[in-house]
Amino acid sequence: MELGKLTSLIKLILNKNQLSANIPLEFGLLSELGLLDLSANRLNKSIPKSLGYLSKLFYLNLGNNQLSQEIPVELGNLGQLSELDLSQNLLKGEIPSEICNLNSLEKLNLSRNKLSGLIPSCFEGMNGLSSIDISYNELQGPLPNSRAFQNASIETLRGNNGLCGNVRGLPSCGPFQSHKHGLGKIWAIVFPLFGGLVLLIVVIGVFFSKKRKELHRQQSSVHAPGLFSILNFEGKLVYEEIIRATNDFDSRYCIGSGGYGSVYRAELPSGDILAIKKFHSQHVVEMGDQKAFTSEIKALTEIQHRHIVKFYGFCSHIRHSFVIYEFLERGSLATILSNEEKAKELGWSNRMNVIKGVAKALSYMHHDCSPPIVHRDISSKNVLLDMEYEAHVSDFGTAKFLKKDSSNWSELAGTYGYIAPELAYTMNVTEKCDVYSFGVLTLEIIKGNHPRDFLSSFPSPSSVVNLALNDMLDPRLAAPSRDVQDKLISIVEIAFSCLDANPESRPTMQIVCQQLCT
């Protein structure tokens, strides 16, 4: 779609037309868009998750259409959004708690849909929210104790037979209908807080057996004996240890966050340190998080490589769902490059090794795994470094197993600035999508920051290669020796071959590895 090319577009108003079918996924590529109004049309199907990439969006109106399915949790990434209107549609399911991440939100209109369940208690923390309309849905339970809800008129609340609260026209809530203590749906008098432990499923090790009786025999094959010494009993034990080690996932232990989850540092009594990626949703049954959760598990349990983060296990629980993997001391490459002192410590030799490490990981995934695995989100935030500055590719929540002899169409996924351009038109995922992202990442490592502005100044990769290398080097590092300079020139040329607009013209990661190692 041609609109996907208008990456400098600031406002797009197409309301009150006869537009039909679905909202194009390519809208997620309009990175400068601040206002999007598609109201009063005939748009149907689901709201695309790709709208969550519009980081500068402050106004979104999709009201008065025929949109169905659930509200995508990715809308919670729109940190600049001040007004959101999804009224007069056919949206169903619960109001996602991720809406509470919209710290700039002032007006919210979800009226005249088919939304059900409780209103998330996290609305109580949205101090900037001043206007809400949730009328004519199927919502129930108490109103959140926030200014927007407590000052709402009955007109903005009516049509929900199960609501209660201190608003004239609504019944008062019973003594046990409370959002306090974060119990959400689980009322204290009906379900004990830990009643869901019977549903706990923990899979330990890369070669987990489906029968719990075989767990002890398999522990001997796991290359982390200290870590698993506490797991001689049931999975409940490691679950409780992780809860204690993170103080029930307190923000003090959070070391990073992304679209689907946050990562926590957990030090167990044994002294072992883990990285725990906890998915944002409280209930993994929500489709968006469920898909990411199962994708990451499937990918990690089937791959082993020195440049891919080690996977130790996962937990699927009614309260929390998370994956457990090795803790890498230096954190993400993005964090290092954004820090003046840490970036200086990452010298030319280490940077070239990081590039080679990522290339080897991708070559393994594309050429040594069956079926091949496409990561789909190669970026500096998803490359972790250990104490020796060795690279480890992480975060497989959007990974895709390629189907042979068939199409591999998928929704847009990845980090803006790294996504292959052909995905705006075809949505057909191939290994060459990762190749393009690798090219962007390579230039970022050499430049010390994302090459977005640098690339946009030139019409083609070939014209950039002819520039002096000094224009592309991170100025925070000392000038490289002649030998290193020659190697960097070769790496830059490889990077730009990966950025070819035609995916068929890009090299495979196997060829890239061969070129980098010669």
Side-chain angles (χ1 to χ4, degrees), residues 146-196:
S146 71
R147 179 167 60 98
F149 283 91
Q150 297 303 320
N151 294 340
S153 65
I154 188 60
E155 286 74 21
T156 63
L157 302 173
R158 69 169 73 251
N160 295 281
N161 295 330
L163 285 182
C164 62
N166 297 322
V167 174
R168 180 175 295 180
L170 287 183
S172 60
C173 297
F176 299 111
Q177 290 179 304
S178 173
H179 281 291
K180 293 182 180 180
H181 311 300
L183 294 182
K185 287 183 177 180
I186 307 176
W187 294 355
I189 195 171
V190 180
F191 296 105
L193 180 60
F194 293 100

Side-chain angles (χ1 to χ4, degrees), residues 182 184 289 414:
D289 285 0

Side-chain angles (χ1 to χ4, degrees), residues 386-424:
D386 60 23
M387 288 303 292
E388 286 71 42
Y389 291 104
E390 288 284 337
H392 302 259
V393 174
S394 70
D395 200 338
F396 286 76
T398 58
K400 183 175 180 63
F401 289 76
L402 293 187
K403 302 174 184 177
K404 295 183 179 179
D405 304 320
S406 64
S407 61
N408 289 279
W409 290 70
S410 179
E411 293 183 345
L412 189 66
T415 300
Y416 175 73
Y418 300 85
I419 301 172
E422 66 270 16
L423 289 179

Side-chain angles (χ1 to χ4, degrees), residues 188-261:
I189 195 171
V190 180
F191 296 105
L193 180 60
F194 293 100
L197 284 177
V198 295
L199 300 179
L200 177 63
I201 304 172
V202 177
V203 179
I204 302 301
V206 177
F207 299 108
F208 171 72
S209 170
K210 293 183 180 179
K211 296 181 180 180
R212 182 174 295 177
K213 293 181 180 180
E214 299 176 9
L215 177 61
H216 181 73
R217 294 198 299 271
Q218 293 205 6
Q219 287 178 356
S220 61
S221 66
V222 179
H223 303 294
L227 169 64
F228 288 97
S229 62
I230 64 167
L231 302 182
N232 293 330
F233 302 96
E234 294 183 350
K236 176 180 177 180
L237 180 59
V238 71
Y239 173 84
E240 293 176 346
E241 290 291 351
I242 289 172
I243 295 300
R244 292 192 191 99
T246 60
N247 194 19
D248 201 9
F249 294 105
D250 189 278
S251 59
R252 292 177 296 170
Y253 299 91
C254 183
I255 57 177
S257 61
Y260 281 110

Side-chain angles (χ1 to χ4, degrees), residues 76 112 122 133 169 185 213 290 318 333 351-352 358 379 403 407 423 454 514:
R112 298 184 182 276
C122 57
D133 190 343
K185 287 183 177 180
K213 293 181 180 180
Q290 174 70 27
I318 195 170
L333 178 61
R351 294 193 188 202
M352 290 189 291
V358 176
S379 62
K403 302 174 184 177
S407 61
L423 289 179
F454 181 80
Q514 293 171 355

